[in-house]
Amino acid sequence: MAPAITQLVVSTVAAAVGLVEHPLVEETRRVLERDEVSPAEREALRARLHRAAEETTQTMRRQHKSMPDTAEVEWLEQVSHALYALSNALSPSPEHAAYAVAGEAFRVPRLSRTDGKRLLVLRNVADRILSEDFHHS
C-alpha cells in the first residue's frame, strides 16, 4: 500500500503545482514505478531534486527582490517546496517514503482546498501504514 500512497502524492503535487511534465518529476515517477532501481540511482535523483529545489529558491529570492508579491514568485515558492517534497518519495523504505513525501507535500504553500484535503488524507494513511509497520517489527 505504501508505494501506491507515494505515487498518489507525487501525482497530486505535480498536478497541483503544474509540474506534470517537469523532467525530474517524470524521472521520479519512472523510478517509483520500477522496483529494481538501485539505491545509488535513487540517491542521485534525490540529490538532483534537492539541487533543483535550492536553485528554484534562489531564483524566487532574486525575483522577490525585484518584483515582490507577484504570481511568479508564489509559483516559484510552490515549485521549490514541491521538488523538495518529491525528493522524500525516494527514501529506500516504502513506508518511510510514503510518510515523508505525504508529510512534506502537505506543506506545499497555496494548494487548492481539494488538493490540501487529498494530501491530508494521504498523509493520514501513510502515518497509519508507518505506525502499523513499526508495531509489527
Side-chain angles (χ1 to χ4, degrees):
M1 184 66 135
I5 296 299
T6 301
Q7 290 177 2
L8 283 169
V9 171
V10 168
S11 293
T12 299
V13 169
V17 179
L19 298 176
V20 173
E21 295 180 8
H22 189 286
L24 287 173
V25 174
E26 289 177 346
E27 188 174 350
T28 300
R29 274 205 203 102
R30 281 192 302 274
V31 165
L32 293 173
E33 290 169 3
R34 296 182 0 228
D35 245 358
E36 71 279 353
V37 176
S38 74
E41 191 177 349
R42 279 179 177 263
E43 193 53 41
L45 177 55
R46 188 176 184 157
R48 290 198 332 268
L49 283 160
H50 271 275
R51 209 168 26 256
E54 290 170 7
E55 290 168 1
T56 304
T57 297
Q58 293 302 324
T59 301
M60 177 195 67
R61 287 181 179 146
R62 284 191 302 273
Q63 289 273 26
H64 185 69
K65 286 179 184 176
S66 63
M67 297 181 293
D69 302 324
T70 65
E72 174 79 11
V73 170
E74 289 180 1
W75 181 72
L76 288 169
E77 182 182 21
Q78 278 190 305
V79 170
S80 177
H81 279 276
L83 292 172
Y84 177 72
L86 296 184
S87 73
N88 287 291
L90 300 167
S91 178
S93 158
E95 295 78 17
H96 285 98
Y99 179 76
V101 73
E104 252 338 289
F106 185 70
R107 294 182 183 101
V108 172
R110 289 175 295 285
L111 292 173
S112 73
R113 182 174 168 89
T114 301
D115 290 327
K117 285 182 175 184
R118 182 176 295 127
L119 289 169
L120 177 61
V121 169
L122 293 170
R123 185 185 70 175
N124 290 341
V125 173
D127 183 48
R128 179 73 180 230
I129 290 168
L130 187 62
S131 67
E132 286 181 8
D133 183 57
F134 176 76
H135 291 302
H136 289 99
S137 28

